[in-house]
């Protein structure tokens, strides 16, 4: 089963080749100020270089959509980044720390499962020790696991680079 597009489809569907390398996207990118993400370069790489799926900066975008809203060429920058991430994930190319989070999600139904420290803080705040999520409803956790399994989530995120 594959739910990922081809890189050619990404380039066409999201108008990637219309990029004129003006840099408006990079100038409005908050992640670019904190991480090794240069979205202008990444767009060029997606358009010209199939190795974009190996570029670690692909995973530095927080999907705030600042760039996409401001692009003068109307390029669906974030949608293209998400689509290329999908291709990369199907090739087993996700960051190890993301793989770790994916495993937590499959095991606990939470990307950040609750621990004893947070349980204690919840009690101090007058809350139940567990939130009313799958942490409190084991049956629903099984449903989450079934959903993830049905779309091949574990198979995709479990592959080694
Ligand atoms: S704002 Fe749009 S046209 Fe300008 S560099 Fe970024 S993607 Fe290319
Ligand atoms: S959506 Fe991603 S690439 Fe675009 S501005 Fe936000 S963090 Fe940067």
């Amino acid at each position: 089963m594959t739910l990922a597009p081809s890189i050619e489809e990404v380039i066409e569907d999201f108008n990637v080749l219309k990029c004129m390398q003006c840099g408006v996207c990079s100038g409005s990118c908050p992640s670019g100020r904190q991480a090794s993400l240069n979205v202008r370069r990444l767009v060029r790489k997606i358009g010209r270089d199939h190795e974009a799926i190996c570029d670690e900066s692909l995973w530095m975008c927080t999907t705030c959509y600042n760039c996409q809203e401001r692009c003068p060429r109307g390029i669906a920058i974030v949608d293209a980044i998400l689509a290329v991430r999908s291709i990369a994930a199907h090739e087993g190319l996700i960051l190890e720390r993301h793989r770790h989070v994916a495993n937590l999600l499959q095991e606990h139904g939470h990307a950040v499962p609750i621990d004893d420290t947070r349980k204690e803080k919840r009690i101090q705040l007058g809350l139940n020790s567990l939130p009313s999520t799958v942490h409190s409803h084991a049956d629903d956790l099984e449903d989450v696991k079934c959903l993830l399994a049905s779309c091949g989530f574990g198979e995709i995120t479990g592959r080694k680079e």
Side-chain angles (χ1 to χ4, degrees):
M1 173 177 61
T2 178
L3 300 174
S6 67
I7 194 77
E8 289 78 13
E9 286 171 326
V10 174
I11 291 168
E12 184 171 340
D13 292 351
F14 302 116
N15 297 318
V16 173
L17 294 183
K18 284 188 179 173
C19 177
M20 58 181 176
Q21 289 291 294
C22 66
V24 167
C25 51
S26 301
S28 56
C29 176
S31 298
R33 291 191 278 279
Q34 308 294 333
S36 59
L37 167 62
N38 181 316
V39 62
R40 175 185 61 78
R41 280 196 207 132
L42 186 58
V43 170
R44 182 170 60 189
K45 205 164 190 181
I46 291 170
R48 296 184 184 167
D49 181 351
H50 285 207
E51 292 303 307
I53 63 168
C54 302
D55 192 322
E56 204 168 286
S57 72
L58 192 59
W59 303 94
M60 306 299 170
C61 165
T62 61
T63 68
C64 70
Y65 278 84
N66 272 3
C67 55
Q68 187 159 319
E69 287 178 347
R70 294 173 186 174
C71 173
R73 286 286 170 95
I75 297 168
I77 302 169
V78 189
D79 302 333
I81 289 173
L82 291 174
V84 177
R85 280 183 186 175
S86 180
I87 297 171
H90 278 80
E91 296 288 328
L93 297 169
I94 66 173
L95 300 184
E96 207 51 50
R97 48 195 179 273
H98 290 168
R99 198 187 306 283
H100 174 67
V101 169
N103 288 339
L104 290 173
L105 181 63
Q106 290 173 94
E107 193 175 337
H108 303 283
H110 277 259
V112 184
I114 198 157
D115 58 15
D116 288 342
T117 304
R118 285 170 184 78
K119 279 184 196 167
E120 189 66 33
K121 282 187 178 164
R122 287 179 62 85
I123 291 168
Q124 286 170 5
L125 290 167
L127 301 168
N128 293 329
S129 62
L130 293 174
S132 57
T133 63
V134 291
H135 278 322
S136 299
H137 304 283
D139 289 351
D140 293 340
L141 176 57
E142 291 310 309
D143 289 343
V144 170
K145 288 181 178 181
C146 279
L147 277 171
L148 292 171
S150 70
C151 67
F153 186 80
E155 186 189 339
I156 294 165
T157 58
R159 289 180 192 161
K160 290 289 172 196
E161 291 178 26

